[in-house]
Structure formats: structure tokens, C-alpha cells
Amino acid sequence: MSGNLKSLDELKSALKRHQRLIGVDLGSKTIGLALSDVSLSIASPLETIKRTKFAADATRLLALAAEHDAGGLVVGLPLNMDGTEGPRCQSTRAFIRNLEKLTALPIAFWDERMSTQAVTRTLLDADASRARRAELVDKMAAAYILQGALDRLKKL
């Protein structure tokens, strides 16, 4: 693994006491973000960044990480259903390679298969309007991704 890329176990070891993690759901048009609590138990939706240029997107992401004293990032890796990597994974990995040049924060990937579908289903069950779903789905998908990683961390 390259410099900042860590396994989930290594990411946990790199955190200082009371540091949070930020979950990242990287889409082509938006970046959903979620934030853990300091005990690394609960993930909460944080913000959705409308994608523009890499520099602006990375600046906002890293500013939020600093503002919330995040000690690392958990990035959803959009694997195909059979576990292989396709073009979306390549795009995610390219974004993270560029982000690594701008930060020392440790970064771990987490399998995000079905996260957006699960969140959309939950919002539909809650009878959320189409506009409300569009507003929430990315940051809730990031929370879903981060919560999966936090649950796994508890078992490590």
C-alpha cells in the first residue's frame, strides 16, 4: 500500500485519542461525507460537496477533516457485485492518489457495494420526497459506509 493508504486495522492504530473518522462516498457529481463520534461508535451524515474541480473538492474535504479533528478517512470503494474493480474504482483510486499528495491523513478503503441502494430504500420507506432523497442520499451513503467500517473496527 502507498504512503497514506492503510488497512482498517492500521488506520485504527494511527488514530490519536478522541480523533474522529470521516467517511467518504465519492460520486461523479457529489462527494458525500459522514463523521464518526469520538468513541468511533456512530457515524452521522455530515455534508454533501458538489463536485467542481479536484483542488476545490479536496480543499473542502480536508478543511472539514481539520475542523472536526479527524484522524483519518474511510473511503467507499465501489466494487462490482462480483468483487472486481471497474472504472468507478479506478476513478476513486485516482482521486485518492491525488488527495494523498495534499495530506498526511491515513486513508482506508471500505467496500461500499449496495450502500446507495440501501440508503435510497430506507428513504423511500420513510416516504421522503424525491428532492429530499436527492439532498440526503450521498451523505447518508457516506454514513452507511463509515458505520460498516466502525462496526468492523470494534471487532479488530
Side-chain angles (χ1 to χ4, degrees):
M1 291 188 185
S2 65
N4 301 22
L5 286 183
K6 308 285 183 205
S7 69
L8 210 52
D9 193 27
E10 292 169 329
L11 177 66
K12 182 179 183 182
S13 299
L15 293 177
K16 295 182 181 128
R17 185 174 158 89
H18 297 302
Q19 280 190 314
R20 302 167 185 258
L21 289 172
I22 288 190
V24 182
D25 179 36
L26 194 61
S28 58
K29 296 179 182 169
T30 59
I31 302 172
L33 301 175
L35 183 67
S36 76
D37 62 336
V38 294
S39 67
L40 302 177
S41 299
I42 299 168
S44 300
L46 179 62
E47 181 174 311
T48 300
I49 299 171
K50 297 275 187 233
R51 302 242 356 223
T52 56
K53 292 193 180 329
F54 171 79
D57 300 343
T59 298
R60 180 65 184 146
L61 171 58
L62 296 175
L64 285 167
E67 178 183 330
H68 293 285
D69 192 29
L73 305 175
V74 175
V75 180
L77 192 62
L79 298 170
N80 294 324
M81 290 310 292
D82 65 1
T84 60
E85 293 192 14
R88 289 186 60 229
C89 280
Q90 293 170 354
S91 174
T92 298
R93 288 189 184 278
F95 183 94
I96 295 306
R97 270 194 306 277
N98 289 327
L99 186 66
E100 282 183 291
K101 297 170 187 169
L102 304 176
T103 183
L105 286 175
I107 301 166
F109 286 115
W110 184 254
D111 182 353
E112 73 157 64
R113 280 181 279 188
M114 305 300 290
S115 59
T116 301
Q117 292 89 333
V119 168
T120 300
R121 199 167 31 254
T122 300
L123 290 169
L124 284 168
D125 290 346
D127 207 25
S129 70
R130 183 181 301 250
R132 185 74 175 139
R133 287 193 311 269
E135 176 187 330
L136 294 175
V137 72
D138 297 308
K139 60 186 173 184
M140 285 184 67
Y144 186 93
I145 291 163
L146 181 56
Q147 189 63 56
L150 293 175
D151 292 347
R152 179 71 183 117
L153 282 174
K154 290 209 177 310
K155 296 177 181 168
L156 293 177

